[in-house]
Amino acid sequence: DAGVIQSPRHEVTEMGQEVTLRCKPISGHDYLFWYRQTMMRGLELLIYFNNNVPIDDSGMPEDRFSAKMPNASFSTLKIQPSEPRDSAVYFCASRGLADTDTQYFGPGTRLTVL
Amino acid sequence: GQNIDQPTEMTATEGAIVQINCTYQTSGFNGLFWYQQHAGEAPTFLSYNVLDGLEEKGRFSSFLSRSKGYSYLLLKELQMKDSASYLCAVRDQDKLSFGAGTTVTVRA
């Protein structure tokens, strides 16, 4: 299995630009999670989906952030407009019911907003 | 709310044993996970406890006491490659809340 796939691996953009991060979960997994990791705040859950439906978006910092999951094999996290404080590593993770509830993380996208 | 505490840093010698403690106060509890994260990489699953007691997986063991809100991760026969951050995470229904992580440095 290829594991969770994320793209791009690195993104450098200027303040005010739109940023789109992409994730492909492990095939057959029905849960997908988006996290953000910073030195100051650690690893934080932003939003998660079950069977492509957003279940809890209480961790999304503000309206500039949005996430979609149009099908079981693809999800996006969009920031519009981006700000320097959004600079972080964004991880996608997926989980299937047969894995003792373990979440498997993708390699992450390192975002730098100048 | 969720409150998960673990030490910031620990240093140990190659071949030794290190114990990383984690205490938690959370609104709900459906299990406790330990993840390992090497610098610049993604967290990877190490262990999962949902009942009280010790779970052993090779050189790594994890213990849970639900009544005390306490867990530890025991790393035996330390190797240089064990130098990493170790994250304690509490599951509440489908959500994981992570501690800040403990950076373990293994010295020769």
Side-chain angles (χ1 to χ4, degrees), chain B residues 1 5 24 28 35-36 38 46 48 51 56 60 66 84 107:
Chain B
D5 289 319
Y24 62 89
Y35 280 79
Q36 180 191 58
H38 285 100
L46 284 180
Y48 172 59
L51 299 175
E56 297 188 80
F60 294 174
R66 289 172 295 171
R107 294 185 171 166

Side-chain angles (χ1 to χ4, degrees), chain A residues 33 37 56 95 101 103 106, chain B residues 35 37 42 45 91 94-95:
Chain A
F33 304 82
Q37 188 173 38
D56 188 331
R95 190 193 99 195
D101 307 319
Q103 293 185 21
Chain B
Y35 280 79
Q37 186 176 24
F45 169 76
R91 180 183 172 192
D94 291 321
K95 297 167 63 169

Side-chain angles (χ1 to χ4, degrees), chain B:
Chain B
Q2 317 292 59
N3 187 25
I4 302 168
D5 289 319
Q6 50 182 130
T8 304
E9 293 180 329
M10 301 183 76
T11 301
T13 305
E14 196 173 15
I17 298 172
V18 69
Q19 178 174 314
I20 306 170
N21 296 324
C22 172
T23 58
Y24 62 89
Q25 292 177 304
T26 56
S27 53
F29 182 85
N30 296 106
L32 188 140
F33 291 81
W34 285 94
Y35 280 79
Q36 180 191 58
Q37 186 176 24
H38 285 100
E41 298 183 7
T44 55
F45 169 76
L46 284 180
S47 69
Y48 172 59
N49 295 69
V50 65
L51 299 175
D52 290 353
L54 188 68
E55 293 282 341
E56 297 188 80
K57 291 177 68 174
R59 294 188 300 113
F60 294 174
S61 303
S62 57
F63 172 83
L64 175 67
S65 169
R66 289 172 295 171
S67 62
K68 295 181 179 179
Y70 168 70
S71 174
Y72 68 72
L73 179 70
L74 196 68
L75 284 63
K76 295 179 254 186
E77 301 170 18
L78 279 173
Q79 302 176 9
M80 299 300 288
K81 66 178 181 178
D82 297 330
S83 292
S85 180
Y86 291 85
L87 305 170
C88 173
V90 173
R91 180 183 172 192
D92 180 3
Q93 297 186 21
D94 291 321
K95 297 167 63 169
L96 286 184
S97 295
F98 285 84
T102 299
T103 299
V104 172
T105 302
V106 181
R107 294 185 171 166

Side-chain angles (χ1 to χ4, degrees), chain A residues 43-55:
Chain A
L43 192 59
E44 304 174 281
L45 176 66
L46 300 177
I47 184 172
Y48 78 94
F49 296 81
N50 180 24
N51 291 321
N52 314 338
V53 176
I55 303 301

Side-chain angles (χ1 to χ4, degrees), chain A residues 84-106:
Chain A
R85 60 190 167 130
D86 302 330
S87 296
V89 181
Y90 291 81
F91 288 105
C92 174
S94 71
R95 190 193 99 195
L97 290 177
D99 291 314
T100 62
D101 307 319
T102 302
Q103 293 185 21
Y104 295 90
F105 284 75

